[in-house]
Amino acid sequence: MSDFQTSTHRAKWIFTPQELIEKYKAANRRAIQTLEKYGTTQMEVDVDGSFSYPEPQINAKDNTEKHSRSKPLSIEEEHSMRVFYENKLREVCSAFYFPNKIQATALLYFKRFYLQWSVMEHHPKNIMLTCVYGACKIEENHVSAEELGKGISQDHQMILNYEMIVYQGLEFDLIVYAPYRPLEGFINDMEEFCQAKNGQLQMLKDLHETARMEVDKIMLTDAPLLFPPGQLALAALLSANKMHRVVDFDRYLTSILSRQNSAHTISELIESLNSIDSWVMKYKFPSEKDMKHINRKLKSCWGHNSHDESKKREKKSKHKSKSSNEMQNGP
């Protein structure tokens, strides 16, 4: 069994808040430059992980007109897109009854991928599904791309096309650590700490269940990119314990630190746990109105403006009308 302390997760994928901001800014800036150069941010992706842009637009007039229509997503709008599709990812995992470990792995893959790329370059729907597929593979819960695609009415070839570029975006660091296992370990440890018997064992079971729901909330924030999984689990337990009041939490944290010979003080640890809780408190799901606006802008960045969309709808309507007349008139 690999160890978090010596893992790439700890060495490469835990950041400071400022580092996260810089990564999101860099990805957004590159996508804007791409839009200015090519008139679109959409990439063509091949199954070997290679990608390409369209040829740069030569006609200056067309280029200027397109740019006047195409407005890039802001960093905040990109964040809203990621939040929306992280929830969609969870829905997909629930629909297939995947265990928490697969869901958490897929979420971490998704979060890490968009530290490297903008949502303007690779649509989150495609990346979300590919992350679920990759998580199933690494966690040995074998589901074929065909099964996954069929289950949610999506083309499985798209999943296969994006698989390699997702792994490249993850720098092939596919082993990740979620808070669910540390959470179980802490609950077992609390049984001994409290010398729990009968009624208190049930209280710890209830505490565990509430804490697991708190972990679910934490996993939808940026906290998994900022804190190790053990602290995420403790933050969930701290929040759950405020409701159930099973243990003296400060005394329990002191016990943990003394047994681990940790360099952290109790006040430093509590500060980290409160910071994780603040990420949950400020979490906000985008409104339907906001998502419609962001999707329109994204389509524009990909060269699909509202005029093109209305023409498609008109053409589709004419085709339906024609088909209806043919049905009525007979062969």
Side-chain angles (χ1 to χ4, degrees):
M1 180 71 186
S2 53
D3 177 32
F4 174 75
Q5 295 302 322
T6 58
S7 68
T8 56
H9 187 146
R10 181 174 183 266
K12 293 170 58 180
W13 297 100
I14 302 290
F15 304 94
T16 66
Q18 189 56 40
E19 286 171 335
L20 277 193
I21 290 169
E22 291 305 318
K23 284 182 174 293
Y24 292 139
K25 280 183 178 177
N28 182 266
R29 194 182 308 121
R30 187 184 62 240
I32 291 172
Q33 290 169 349
T34 300
L35 183 63
E36 290 170 351
K37 182 175 181 181
Y38 297 100
T40 179
T41 57
Q42 186 174 18
M43 293 182 177
E44 295 295 324
V45 177
D46 292 321
V47 73
D48 64 355
S50 61
F51 58 87
S52 58
Y53 295 101
E55 288 296 314
Q57 296 183 9
I58 298 169
N59 189 316
K61 184 181 177 184
D62 288 350
N63 213 20
T64 303
E65 286 178 358
K66 177 147 296 214
H67 289 166
S68 67
R69 294 196 300 266
S70 302
K71 292 183 179 178
L73 270 60
S74 67
I75 291 170
E76 293 75 23
E77 287 169 333
E78 290 210 50
H79 172 73
S80 294
M81 282 289 280
R82 293 194 303 272
V83 166
F84 181 84
Y85 278 99
E86 284 180 8
N87 278 270
K88 287 293 180 185
L89 186 156
R90 177 167 285 178
E91 288 175 19
V92 170
C93 289
S94 296
F96 280 88
Y97 300 101
F98 291 146
N100 283 336
K101 178 61 176 164
I102 287 178
Q103 180 178 284
T105 298
L107 277 169
L108 283 167
Y109 285 178
F110 186 87
K111 290 174 188 294
R112 289 182 181 185
F113 182 85
Y114 283 111
L115 294 177
Q116 321 287 346
W117 294 99
S118 162
V119 301
M120 290 183 277
E121 294 169 310
H122 299 289
H123 199 290
K125 181 177 77 172
N126 301 337
I127 301 305
M128 174 265 292
L129 295 173
T130 308
C131 287
V132 172
Y133 177 61
C136 287
K137 273 188 167 183
I138 200 68
E139 298 300 334
E140 298 183 350
N141 190 315
H142 298 295
V143 176
S144 69
E146 288 87 346
E147 286 177 274
L148 189 58
K150 186 178 180 181
I152 48 179
S153 304
Q154 295 293 328
D155 179 12
H156 75 275
Q157 190 57 48
M158 173 275 295
I159 296 172
L160 296 175
N161 283 356
Y162 274 91
E163 184 179 11
M164 189 53 64
I165 201 168
V166 165
Y167 294 159
Q168 289 170 353
L170 303 176
E171 299 178 14
F172 295 95
D173 295 329
L174 304 182
I175 304 296
V176 301
Y177 293 80
Y180 296 100
R181 181 167 288 179
L183 178 61
E184 288 181 17
F186 286 129
I187 289 291
N188 292 335
D189 186 50
M190 281 180 176
E191 286 184 22
E192 289 187 29
F193 178 77
C194 299
Q195 298 180 331
K197 294 177 184 177
N198 301 328
Q200 205 164 16
L201 284 172
Q202 182 58 48
M203 290 171 71
L204 281 169
K205 189 176 179 182
D206 295 341
L207 178 70
H208 187 190
E209 187 59 37
T210 303
R212 192 159 44 211
M213 290 189 284
E214 290 299 316
V215 169
D216 289 344
K217 295 177 189 176
I218 289 169
M219 289 302 297
L220 291 174
T221 72
D222 276 344
L225 297 170
L226 299 166
F227 300 93
Q231 289 187 12
L232 300 177
L234 281 173
L237 279 168
L238 175 60
S239 181
N241 192 61
K242 288 175 182 175
M243 182 189 302
H244 294 281
R245 301 188 180 281
V246 181
V247 298
D248 180 338
F249 214 81
D250 284 0
R251 195 165 70 86
Y252 178 64
L253 291 179
T254 302
S255 168
I256 293 174
L257 292 176
S258 64
R259 282 179 284 155
Q260 292 181 348
N261 295 317
S262 174
H264 293 291
T265 64
I266 184 73
S267 59
E268 287 172 338
L269 181 55
I270 289 175
E271 184 181 350
S272 292
L273 304 188
N274 288 336
S275 181
I276 293 167
D277 188 54
S278 73
W279 279 95
V280 175
M281 296 300 289
K282 67 185 180 184
Y283 177 83
K284 183 182 176 185
F285 188 77
S287 68
E288 185 179 351
K289 181 181 177 183
D290 287 340
M291 286 308 302
K292 282 182 178 179
H293 174 70
I294 294 167
N295 272 313
R296 278 196 297 269
K297 287 183 73 173
L298 184 58
K299 285 179 181 178
S300 175
C301 290
W302 282 24
H304 309 314
N305 60 48
S306 57
H307 179 64
D308 294 335
E309 293 298 315
S310 63
K311 282 179 74 176
K312 279 184 187 176
R313 285 194 295 271
E314 187 181 338
K315 188 175 180 181
K316 199 172 183 181
S317 176
K318 283 182 179 177
H319 178 73
K320 279 185 178 178
S321 176
K322 185 179 177 183
S323 299
S324 177
N325 288 336
E326 285 174 352
M327 289 285 287
Q328 288 173 3
N329 295 334

